Amino acid sequence: MKPKTIKENFRIGMRSIVEHPQLISTIAIAAVIFGLFLFTADRFARIALDAQERLVNVRIGSIQDAFVAFVPERIDSDIEAVHRAVNSVVSQNETILDFRVLRTRGTRGWEVVSSVDLSEIGTTRLSASEEFLIGLAVSDPFNSFTREGSLGGDRVFQTARAFRDARGTVQGVVMTTQTLSEADRQINQNINNSFAILLTILLLLFLLFFRHARIVDYTALYKKLKEVDTLKDDFISMISHELRTPLASIRGYAELLSEGGELSDTAREQARRIMVSSAQLDRLVEDMLDVSRIERGQLKLSLKVADPVPIIADVVETLMPSAQKKNLLLILGRGESAPIFIDESRLRQVLVNLIGNAIKYTVEGEVKVTTHLESGKLFIRVSDTGIGLSSGEREQIFQKFVRIQNKNTSRVRGTGLGLWISAALVRLMKGTISVESIRNVGSHFVLSFPVVEQKASHEGESKQETKEK
Ligand code: ADP
């Protein structure tokens, strides 16, 4: 199959939305998650930048505080000590790009008296923004003033703080230039990572959304299939019920015909064939009705504690003519017996199916039915020397309508419903059914039922009586 293009997938997605308006809620949730994430990432970035700025200002503020206390005493007597202090601060703070001490020269402006850049010492050149910042610092000598600027694309902060002589007159200004490029780079990196995560989440959300759309499709399909299935069950059940009455009258009239004395041999044989065929049809209708009852959970059992051996003996006797017709030995082996909790007519149905199958699928040899007790269970074993089954076939035969098709089975008639119904009936009677088989050697179908303790058996019967009332 050709893979679908993005455009085709998008079109399918849009069609799903139109067909299933409930998907809109999924999209709304996805949009809210996306929006929330965006909002949180943005807030996080702002908080990080603010915190970074505050930290820098506090640090620079304290460095300048220290300088303001230190410089006035030494600016005239020991300028070398000032140079050393400036160099020491810059070498210990790699984010400080520039550190200058400026002294007022009255009307001649401000002269750099100490700086990391020695070539600046003695100069009086200042930019307009620096002059403005110094003006602010002079107007309020108790505080540091900061201005944000940019240098080569990076954010920089310039901070100025005035210092005064012993008489309180402003003597000069300490000015630092600080870069935040490293911190900014890290924050930007975090923001980029957040966006990459956001995109991944968004992609996952879209995948989830398309899966959801598909599940919604499947749910609708499943509902439709369920409806069709129910319609089919209703139809089968209705047809089966409708077939029952005409079938019964066909059988009845054929019986009357064959019993009438004035029939020729040919006509009597024809009447017999009508009876046989309608009996087959009757069984098929009963099977269809059983399937429909089991599937709807409407099959009612009439459970009671009973000894299964007489039932087994009766079924063996009933099926003896079909075995004899094929020259097969049908044996009821001597075995153990115990009371079990069963629906007698349903157990009979299961046994007719298993022993009937054993006769149907055995060409020569024997069919044997035995019983034995083990670990509190009664086992009923139907064994034959028939065509047998492969391991793959053994796994399939309990499914509805499954018939093994090969040259040995092509002439045998059946519907593939018998074992499915038998398995369901056995389950409803709290028993188990299993098969052991070897191809061309034979098969053993084994039923097991929990043995009912004698005392419990009365309880079982009384329970059943209460149910039937
Ligand atoms: P049906 O006999 O009507 O086809 P069943 O459900 O009773 O349907 O059996 C399903 C299939 O299992 C049969 O078609 C047959 O291929 C296989 N099978 C059942 N019993 C035996 C057996 N005793 N030996 C070999 N194959 C069997």
Side-chain angles (χ1 to χ4, degrees), residues 24 27 29 308 345 347:
I24 291 170
I27 300 173
I29 292 171
S345 73
L347 179 65

Side-chain angles (χ1 to χ4, degrees), residues 353 357 360-361 384 397 402-404 414-416 418-419 443 445:
N353 180 244
N357 275 353
K360 267 195 326 188
Y361 299 106
D384 64 53
I397 54 170
V402 167
R403 304 204 67 224
I404 307 304
T415 55
L419 284 180
S443 311
F445 282 82

Side-chain angles (χ1 to χ4, degrees), residues 6-21:
I6 294 176
K7 208 169 142 194
E8 279 167 339
N9 273 324
F10 181 73
R11 210 175 306 135
I12 293 170
M14 292 315 281
R15 205 181 320 129
S16 298
I17 296 171
V18 175
E19 283 169 11
H20 312 296

Side-chain angles (χ1 to χ4, degrees), residues 44 48 184-195 197:
F44 168 76
D184 283 354
R185 203 187 54 74
Q186 272 179 19
I187 289 168
N188 280 334
Q189 171 109 38
N190 280 339
I191 290 172
N192 288 343
N193 288 347
S194 308
F195 275 105
I197 292 169

Side-chain angles (χ1 to χ4, degrees), residues 121-146:
I121 297 175
T123 59
T124 52
R125 248 177 300 113
L126 288 173
S127 69
S129 55
E130 284 172 338
E131 270 180 17
F132 177 69
L133 194 63
I134 290 171
L136 287 176
V138 172
S139 68
D140 180 1
F142 300 99
N143 281 310
S144 291
F145 289 84
T146 303

